[in-house]
């Protein structure tokens, strides 16, 4: 083999760059940047009454931050969101564990969970306003109802997916039902619980804005309605994009939490490949 042939063979064997080799965050960044550039370039052809584009939205964002309006609205919105979501998790996980583990509970109460999940929350808002008024409480309840059912249903499905052989092994070693639940069922169900929590984030954000639309106009939902009524389209987009970013950030944080509490799930699912 000549020296030139040897170098040619090395060049042929050299691995080529592939999109598959890029980290996920870089692909996401390129995707978002491309969308922003295309959106900005199309901006001059957008009627300001019907839409806006990034540079105008950023300008409105800076104006709203400078006078403190956006910060106040965000605080007003995030408070019922946090309380309602936390209550949904605290109630949904244990109820889901009971429904999935014990047939009697599932037969007695499972039908209410299914019916509640299928009921449009917006249909209950007038009744909820009569019960809880137009303030903080009704917003918490709406967020709770939106987030509770995904958490509960996913947890129930996770318990039912636990292999019976694992339960039988625990029973064979004379483990109590509490110990079986804590050391066998709960660890096996964690990926399902985390999936339910991640799904519930989006539902809770929708509930937060829905509550502000239909009850007392306040928070980010109030800004959206007031800006839309005044045809301030760029200002209207600011809270909408902020809500999107909030949902994405919370979902990513829960995904990181899942890798901490259930690290084996990443290896099983091949996440990131």
């Amino acid at each position: 083999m000549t020296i030139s042939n040897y170098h040619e063979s090395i060049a042929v064997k050299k691995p080529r760059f592939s999109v598959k080799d890029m980290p996920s965050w870089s692909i996401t960044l390129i995707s978002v940047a491309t969308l922003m550039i295309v959106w900005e370039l199309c901006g001059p052809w957008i009627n300001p009454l019907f839409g806006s584009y990034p540079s105008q939205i950023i300008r409105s964002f800076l104006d709203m931050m400078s006078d403190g309006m956006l910060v106040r609205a965000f605080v007003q919105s995030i408070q019922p969101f946090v309380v309602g979501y936390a209550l949904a998790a605290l109630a949904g996980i244990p109820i889901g564990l009971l429904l999935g583990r014990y047939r009697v509970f599932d037969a007695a109460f499972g039908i209410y969970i299914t019916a509640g999940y299928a009921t449009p929350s917006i249909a209950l808002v007038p009744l909820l306003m009569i019960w809880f008024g137009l303030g903080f409480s009704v917003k918490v309840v709406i967020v709770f109802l939106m987030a509770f059912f995904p958490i509960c249903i996913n947890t129930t499905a996770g318990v039912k997916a636990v292999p019976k052989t694992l339960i039988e092994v625990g029973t064979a070693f004379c483990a109590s039902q509490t110990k079986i639940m804590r050391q066998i069922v709960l660890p096996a169900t964690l990926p399902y619980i985390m999936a339910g929590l991640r799904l519930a984030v989006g539902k809770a954000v929708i509930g937060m804005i829905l509550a502000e639309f239909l009850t007392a106009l306040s928070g980010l939902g109030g800004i959206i309605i007031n800006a839309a009524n005044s045809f301030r389209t760029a200002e209207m987009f600011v809270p909408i994009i902020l809500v999107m970013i909030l949902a994405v950030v919370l979902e990513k944080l829960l995904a990181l939490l899942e890798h901490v509490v259930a690290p084996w799930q990443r290896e099983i699912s091949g996440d990131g490949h």
Side-chain angles (χ1 to χ4, degrees):
M1 177 183 293
T2 64
I3 295 177
S4 60
N5 290 337
Y6 175 74
H7 286 298
E8 288 177 3
S9 64
I10 293 177
V12 171
K13 292 180 181 178
K14 186 178 180 179
R16 295 182 178 180
F17 176 77
S18 173
V19 176
K20 295 180 180 179
D21 299 325
M22 296 176 63
S24 298
W25 65 265
S26 63
I27 299 174
T28 302
L29 184 62
I30 293 171
S31 174
V32 174
T34 303
L35 174 63
M36 292 297 104
I37 292 171
V38 173
W39 189 5
E40 181 68 26
L41 292 175
C42 294
W45 288 274
I46 299 176
N47 188 323
L49 291 177
F50 301 105
S52 186
Y53 49 95
S55 59
Q56 285 188 334
I57 295 171
I58 292 173
R59 194 176 300 114
S60 295
F61 169 78
L62 295 175
D63 292 341
M64 295 166 71
M65 286 293 292
S66 63
D67 63 11
M69 178 175 65
L70 189 61
V71 175
R72 290 193 299 271
F74 182 79
V75 172
Q76 288 177 344
S77 295
I78 203 67
Q79 289 175 343
F81 172 85
V82 171
V83 175
Y85 184 82
L87 291 175
L90 290 174
I93 293 173
I95 292 175
L97 290 172
L98 291 174
L99 292 176
R101 182 72 181 92
Y102 301 106
R103 183 184 60 84
V104 174
F105 276 93
D106 190 23
F109 303 107
I111 186 172
Y112 303 120
I113 301 298
T114 303
Y117 181 68
T119 303
S121 298
I122 192 171
L124 299 175
V125 171
L127 184 61
L128 294 176
M129 288 192 294
I130 295 174
W131 290 349
F132 299 99
L134 297 175
F136 180 82
S137 298
V138 70
K139 297 177 183 179
V140 170
V141 173
I142 293 173
V143 172
F144 172 85
L145 291 176
M146 294 291 285
F148 170 79
F149 294 104
I151 297 172
C152 183
I153 291 172
N154 262 55
T155 303
T156 302
V159 176
K160 291 182 177 180
V162 176
K164 291 184 179 180
T165 52
L166 294 179
I167 308 295
E168 292 170 356
V169 169
T171 305
F173 281 94
C174 301
S176 64
Q177 289 298 317
T178 303
K179 202 166 186 178
I180 290 174
M181 179 71 81
R182 188 176 66 252
Q183 297 186 0
I184 297 177
V185 175
L186 185 58
T189 310
L190 273 176
Y192 288 85
I193 294 175
M194 296 308 302
L197 291 172
R198 292 167 68 178
L199 288 172
V201 163
K203 293 287 188 179
V205 169
I206 293 172
M208 175 184 74
I209 299 300
L210 178 67
E212 292 171 343
F213 279 175
L214 300 178
T215 60
L217 285 179
S218 61
L220 298 175
I223 292 179
I224 294 172
I225 292 294
N226 291 329
N229 290 338
S230 303
F231 298 102
R232 301 191 304 272
T233 312
E235 185 177 316
M236 182 184 70
F237 268 98
V238 172
I240 293 175
I241 294 176
L242 184 59
V243 166
M244 292 179 183
I245 294 173
L246 173 66
V248 171
V249 169
L250 291 176
E251 196 275 336
K252 294 299 181 184
L253 290 175
L254 286 171
L256 291 175
L257 179 61
E258 181 180 0
H259 296 330
V260 174
V261 300
W264 62 87
Q265 180 63 19
R266 189 171 189 177
E267 298 178 1
I268 294 173
S269 63
D271 186 20
H273 297 286

